[in-house]
Amino acid sequence: MSTRLKYFGAAGYEIVGPTHRILIDPFLSQNPLAPCSVDDLATPDVILVSHAAFDHYGDTAALAKRTGAPVVCDAAVRFMLLDEGVSPDQITPTTWGIVVEVAGLVVRPVECHHWSSGTLSDGRQVVGNPIAFIVETEPDVRIYHYGDTCIFDMRLIGELYRPTVGLLGCTLPRELSHLIPGPATFLTGEMDADEAARTAEMLQLELAVACHYLAPDDEVRRFVELVPHHDTTGRRRVIAPLVGETLVVDGERHWIERSES
Amino acid sequence: MSTRLKYFGAAGYEIVGPTHRILIDPFLSQNPLAPCSVDDLATPDVILVSHAAFDHYGDTAALAKRTGAPVVCDAAVRFMLLDEGVSPDQITPTTWGIVVEVAGLVVRPVECHHWSSGTLSDGRQVVGNPIAFIVETEPDVRIYHYGDTCIFDMRLIGELYRPTVGLLGCTLPRELSHLIPGPATFLTGEMDADEAARTAEMLQLELAVACHYLAPDDEVRRFVELVPHHDTTGRRRVIAPLVGETLVVDGERHWIERSES
Amino acid sequence: MSTRLKYFGAAGYEIVGPTHRILIDPFLSQNPLAPCSVDDLATPDVILVSHAAFDHYGDTAALAKRTGAPVVCDAAVRFMLLDEGVSPDQITPTTWGIVVEVAGLVVRPVECHHWSSGTLSDGRQVVGNPIAFIVETEPDVRIYHYGDTCIFDMRLIGELYRPTVGLLGCTLPRELSHLIPGPATFLTGEMDADEAARTAEMLQLELAVACHYLAPDDEVRRFVELVPHHDTTGRRRVIAPLVGETLVVDGERHWIERSES
């Protein structure tokens, strides 16, 4: 058995395990490096959306409407999906701690120290509670998606839910920075390389996966260097997939497959 | 001296100590197991509302209007109460850390890792900051109400404010799940039995009280089993009242009284 | 080299280092003890706003419009500034972990366990994510502004970012309490003296500065007593400036200058 994680860029993944196909934060149509379009995607068993930011919410509405797939998300994302015409019967709102089962998959939302805010078509702000997700795709493969959290003491999450693979933001998709107004320069994402490498240790991951970029930058390379530096187990592996590549996790091994498309 | 906690179901309690009558999260009219109606309740000295979710906000507006009692709550609940016609002079908004005194009772709001959102009569969303409360009803009886928090490292709260009795959500009121739209099944509440039992240890409680259910389910029974399992003091007691029952705390003893009504 | 921090009262400071002039939470026109008016202020390199509460947001809009200075803030403050006519080109929204550089100054937002909500001119609520800031004004002078957080385990913030000077709320500006509606009495601010003194230890500060008052009260005096009590380094210094005074930090020394104006 193996689990395949195709990287879309930003925090977007298609995760295909032995029993379920899961989309997380599907950011494609505004993504200059998108390896496929939303129309190319197979119907997922579930779409998980961490929060309402545009590079995470992405194409969720179009995808939900085309495929009819259920969505698990926070209330801000739910408001936005309803506003875009997605059926309420497709959307399950949840928040930290409330474990849900959808299409036979158990989805565990855990704390994400970030925020979630969107704008409806009439200009109103809607606000939710951002989510980091843990899903077990097969026995002993528990995938943690960070959902744009900043660093905090995640040791309790590591102890209680024992994720094995962590998708950890360590920089920001700099190609999108011009979309954010204002005079300042964004130096880091919600976590920098060192902070992300420390969360890999706090979560006691087996495999730390760089996340939250389009083209890899120096922070991604620094993450790859720093994960071993903060590793007290001596066994932690680290990888930084390119957009469009597929990370295959097979027991204690993992490898990258180049995309065909 | 003793303190009496009557359980309404969900997270609702009427707490009567030697000096004050306190209502928390009074959820009655939509509660299929409600042991009384809002009209049956004696006028409280204060109503505490943890957040704007329907099973916590409950009948606060009707109760506040009938009795004139002061309400301590977050800003979302305040917006909703004003929208329902409660006088602003009755409502004190507060948030984590800001200790208030009302009717001679000291109310300590502490961190609650959840969220608080409501909808006004015109459809607008209002958002606040959910609250867990600690109140001292008599010397050495300090009651912690969890306010729907998920698990987090509560040791600092335990050390600083030394609650003795904790009302801890360990499941969800499954009878209400059909009111939440969407395709998923809710497996747990914001905390499951194991998480709640761990918080009893982090808070160093003397008495852990199961909370957030109507009819007790397997998680409630598991909570009763797990509290001793996580107890390093060897002295922690645990109880799971039925809706309508009254928990009496008298020094180091406690017992249940069946409701007369 | 030295860094000068002029106290405006509440959580407002003008911080002038060797290279930058920074305003934080400029609360003046509604401040009965304001040492100057917004028109008296020199143009800052940047204005930092922790959250949308009136005693922190203060005169930011007027100041931004008069001076054209850039503002770094959360989304609620940004909505309010836009509503008051500040140009979007002046405003950079950020949140926890996303380090920004503006006018050559590196601004680090860290977790602030509070909340941020404002009201627009049309009555709509806007909500953001409150920020505590760390800025390095000169080598080895890293200033932490607490942004109205309650106490939480800040040791990770201390370890990672090593602030040397902390502006720590330890009470509340009681002169403003009458502006908050409701029947209760506010006993403490988001942190009391003991909690604030404990955060000085968790952050491993060299110099703990009392914050969040107008005229100093007993809590401010208790903070000055308790900082040494919680100090495991034996070297921590503490000070409580009066409104209008300037705290000068020069290497391992600090002193107070009375305001001339």
Side-chain angles (χ1 to χ4, degrees):
Chain A
M1 283 199 297
S2 65
T3 297
R4 303 167 60 83
L5 301 92
K6 180 170 182 175
Y7 189 34
F8 294 151
Y13 292 89
E14 181 184 53
I15 301 175
V16 183
T19 55
H20 289 87
R21 179 179 296 266
I22 305 160
L23 284 175
I24 307 189
D25 287 359
F27 173 65
L28 293 167
S29 60
Q30 287 190 274
N31 176 349
L33 296 189
C36 60
S37 87
V38 67
D39 292 332
D40 299 332
L41 294 172
T43 296
D45 294 294
V46 64
I47 308 169
L48 308 180
V49 187
S50 64
H51 66 296
F54 78 100
D55 56 330
H56 296 258
Y57 179 82
D59 299 277
T60 302
L63 191 61
K65 284 191 281 191
R66 180 173 70 77
T67 64
V71 184
V72 176
C73 59
D74 82 344
V77 170
R78 182 172 183 272
F79 278 125
M80 291 168 72
L81 293 173
L82 295 175
D83 189 55
E84 293 204 57
V86 177
S87 163
D89 294 339
Q90 268 179 265
I91 312 167
T92 289
T94 186
T95 194
W96 306 335
I98 304 179
V99 180
V100 300
E101 181 176 335
V102 57
L105 181 74
V106 174
V107 177
R108 176 181 293 281
V110 295
E111 281 200 59
C112 170
H113 289 199
H114 188 57
W115 80 304
S116 179
S117 168
T119 306
L120 300 186
S121 52
D122 64 5
R124 280 187 298 160
Q125 184 197 24
V126 286
V127 175
N129 205 30
I131 298 173
F133 288 106
I134 299 174
V135 288
E136 188 171 68
T137 55
E138 56 180 294
D140 295 327
V141 177
R142 287 175 294 276
I143 298 174
Y144 168 86
H145 185 283
Y146 87 119
D148 254 11
T149 189
C150 68
I151 192 171
F152 65 96
D153 189 343
M154 300 184 187
R155 289 177 297 179
L156 193 59
I157 293 173
E159 282 172 40
L160 293 180
Y161 317 121
R162 296 173 297 121
T164 59
V165 178
L167 313 174
L168 303 174
C170 59
T171 183
L172 73 168
R174 296 182 196 276
E175 297 85 346
L176 307 175
S177 293
H178 69 281
L179 298 174
I180 301 170
T185 304
F186 289 83
L187 298 184
T188 73
E190 289 79 0
M191 292 198 284
D192 68 15
D194 183 65
E195 292 164 337
R198 288 172 187 268
T199 67
E201 171 67 12
M202 291 193 282
L203 293 169
Q204 291 286 295
L205 298 176
E206 296 175 9
L207 176 59
V209 184
C211 184
H212 212 224
Y213 52 94
L214 295 178
D217 64 2
D218 286 345
E219 281 296 279
V220 173
R221 288 180 278 276
R222 206 162 69 94
F223 175 75
V224 173
E225 290 170 16
L226 286 171
V227 165
H229 177 74
H230 289 297
D231 174 20
T232 62
T233 69
R235 301 176 59 244
R236 185 162 304 127
R237 293 165 287 136
V238 59
I239 198 154
L242 297 180
V243 171
E245 288 184 342
T246 296
L247 168 64
V248 186
V249 175
D250 186 355
E252 298 193 358
R253 296 179 307 143
H254 72 273
W255 63 88
I256 290 286
E257 285 180 6
R258 297 280 301 275
S259 175
E260 301 307 303
S261 65
Chain B
M1 284 200 296
S2 65
T3 296
R4 301 168 61 84
L5 301 92
K6 180 170 181 175
Y7 189 35
F8 294 151
Y13 292 89
E14 180 183 52
I15 301 175
V16 183
T19 56
H20 289 87
R21 179 179 296 267
I22 305 160
L23 284 175
I24 306 189
D25 287 359
F27 174 66
L28 294 167
S29 60
Q30 286 191 275
N31 175 349
L33 296 189
C36 58
S37 87
V38 66
D39 292 331
D40 299 332
L41 293 171
T43 297
D45 295 295
V46 64
I47 308 169
L48 308 179
V49 188
S50 64
H51 66 297
F54 78 101
D55 55 330
H56 296 257
Y57 178 84
D59 299 278
T60 302
L63 190 61
K65 284 191 281 191
R66 181 174 70 75
T67 64
V71 183
V72 176
C73 59
D74 81 344
V77 170
R78 181 172 183 270
F79 278 124
M80 292 168 71
L81 292 174
L82 294 175
D83 189 56
E84 292 204 58
V86 176
S87 163
D89 294 338
Q90 267 178 268
I91 312 167
T92 289
T94 188
T95 193
W96 304 336
I98 305 180
V99 180
V100 300
E101 181 176 335
V102 58
L105 181 74
V106 174
V107 177
R108 177 180 293 282
V110 295
E111 281 200 60
C112 170
H113 289 200
H114 189 57
W115 80 303
S116 179
S117 169
T119 305
L120 300 186
S121 52
D122 64 5
R124 280 188 296 161
Q125 184 196 25
V126 286
V127 175
N129 205 30
I131 298 173
F133 288 106
I134 299 175
V135 288
E136 187 170 66
T137 56
E138 57 181 292
D140 295 328
V141 177
R142 287 176 294 275
I143 298 173
Y144 168 86
H145 184 285
Y146 87 119
D148 254 12
T149 189
C150 68
I151 192 171
F152 66 96
D153 188 343
M154 300 184 187
R155 289 176 297 177
L156 193 58
I157 293 173
E159 283 173 40
L160 294 180
Y161 317 120
R162 296 173 298 119
T164 59
V165 178
L167 312 174
L168 303 173
C170 60
T171 184
L172 72 168
R174 296 181 195 277
E175 296 86 345
L176 307 175
S177 294
H178 69 281
L179 298 174
I180 300 171
T185 305
F186 289 83
L187 298 184
T188 73
E190 290 78 359
M191 292 197 284
D192 68 14
D194 183 65
E195 293 163 337
R198 288 172 186 269
T199 67
E201 171 66 13
M202 292 193 281
L203 293 170
Q204 291 287 296
L205 298 176
E206 297 176 8
L207 175 59
V209 184
C211 184
H212 211 224
Y213 52 94
L214 295 178
D217 63 4
D218 286 345
E219 281 295 280
V220 173
R221 289 180 277 276
R222 206 163 68 95
F223 174 75
V224 173
E225 290 169 17
L226 286 171
V227 165
H229 177 74
H230 289 297
D231 175 20
T232 62
T233 70
R235 301 175 59 244
R236 185 162 305 127
R237 294 165 286 136
V238 59
I239 198 155
L242 297 180
V243 171
E245 288 184 341
T246 295
L247 168 64
V248 185
V249 176
D250 186 356
E252 298 193 358
R253 296 179 308 143
H254 72 274
W255 61 89
I256 290 285
E257 285 181 6
R258 296 281 299 279
S259 174
E260 301 307 303
S261 65
Chain C
M1 284 201 295
S2 66
T3 296
R4 302 168 61 82
L5 302 93
K6 181 171 180 175
Y7 189 35
F8 294 151
Y13 292 88
E14 181 183 52
I15 301 175
V16 183
T19 57
H20 290 86
R21 180 180 295 267
I22 305 159
L23 284 175
I24 306 189
D25 287 359
F27 173 65
L28 294 166
S29 60
Q30 287 190 276
N31 176 349
L33 296 189
C36 59
S37 87
V38 67
D39 292 332
D40 299 331
L41 294 172
T43 297
D45 293 295
V46 63
I47 308 169
L48 308 179
V49 188
S50 64
H51 67 296
F54 78 100
D55 55 330
H56 296 257
Y57 179 83
D59 299 277
T60 302
L63 191 61
K65 284 192 280 191
R66 180 173 71 76
T67 64
V71 183
V72 176
C73 58
D74 82 344
V77 170
R78 182 172 182 272
F79 278 124
M80 291 168 71
L81 293 174
L82 295 175
D83 189 56
E84 293 204 56
V86 177
S87 162
D89 294 339
Q90 268 178 267
I91 312 167
T92 290
T94 188
T95 193
W96 306 335
I98 304 180
V99 180
V100 300
E101 181 177 335
V102 58
L105 181 75
V106 173
V107 177
R108 177 180 292 283
V110 295
E111 281 200 60
C112 170
H113 289 199
H114 188 57
W115 81 303
S116 179
S117 167
T119 305
L120 300 186
S121 52
D122 65 4
R124 280 187 298 160
Q125 184 197 25
V126 286
V127 176
N129 205 30
I131 299 174
F133 288 106
I134 299 174
V135 289
E136 187 171 67
T137 56
E138 56 181 293
D140 296 327
V141 177
R142 286 176 294 276
I143 299 174
Y144 168 86
H145 184 285
Y146 87 119
D148 254 12
T149 190
C150 68
I151 192 171
F152 65 97
D153 188 343
M154 299 183 188
R155 288 176 297 177
L156 193 58
I157 292 174
E159 283 172 39
L160 293 180
Y161 317 121
R162 297 173 299 121
T164 59
V165 178
L167 312 174
L168 303 174
C170 60
T171 183
L172 73 166
R174 297 182 195 276
E175 296 86 346
L176 307 174
S177 293
H178 69 282
L179 299 175
I180 301 170
T185 304
F186 289 84
L187 298 184
T188 73
E190 289 79 359
M191 292 197 285
D192 68 14
D194 183 65
E195 293 163 337
R198 288 172 186 267
T199 67
E201 171 67 12
M202 291 193 281
L203 293 170
Q204 291 286 295
L205 299 176
E206 297 175 9
L207 176 59
V209 184
C211 184
H212 212 223
Y213 52 94
L214 295 178
D217 64 3
D218 286 346
E219 280 296 279
V220 173
R221 289 180 277 277
R222 204 162 70 94
F223 175 74
V224 173
E225 290 169 18
L226 287 171
V227 166
H229 178 74
H230 289 298
D231 174 21
T232 63
T233 70
R235 301 175 60 243
R236 185 162 305 126
R237 294 166 286 136
V238 59
I239 198 155
L242 297 180
V243 171
E245 288 185 340
T246 296
L247 168 64
V248 186
V249 175
D250 186 355
E252 297 193 358
R253 297 179 307 143
H254 73 273
W255 63 89
I256 289 285
E257 285 180 5
R258 297 280 301 276
S259 174
E260 301 307 303
S261 64

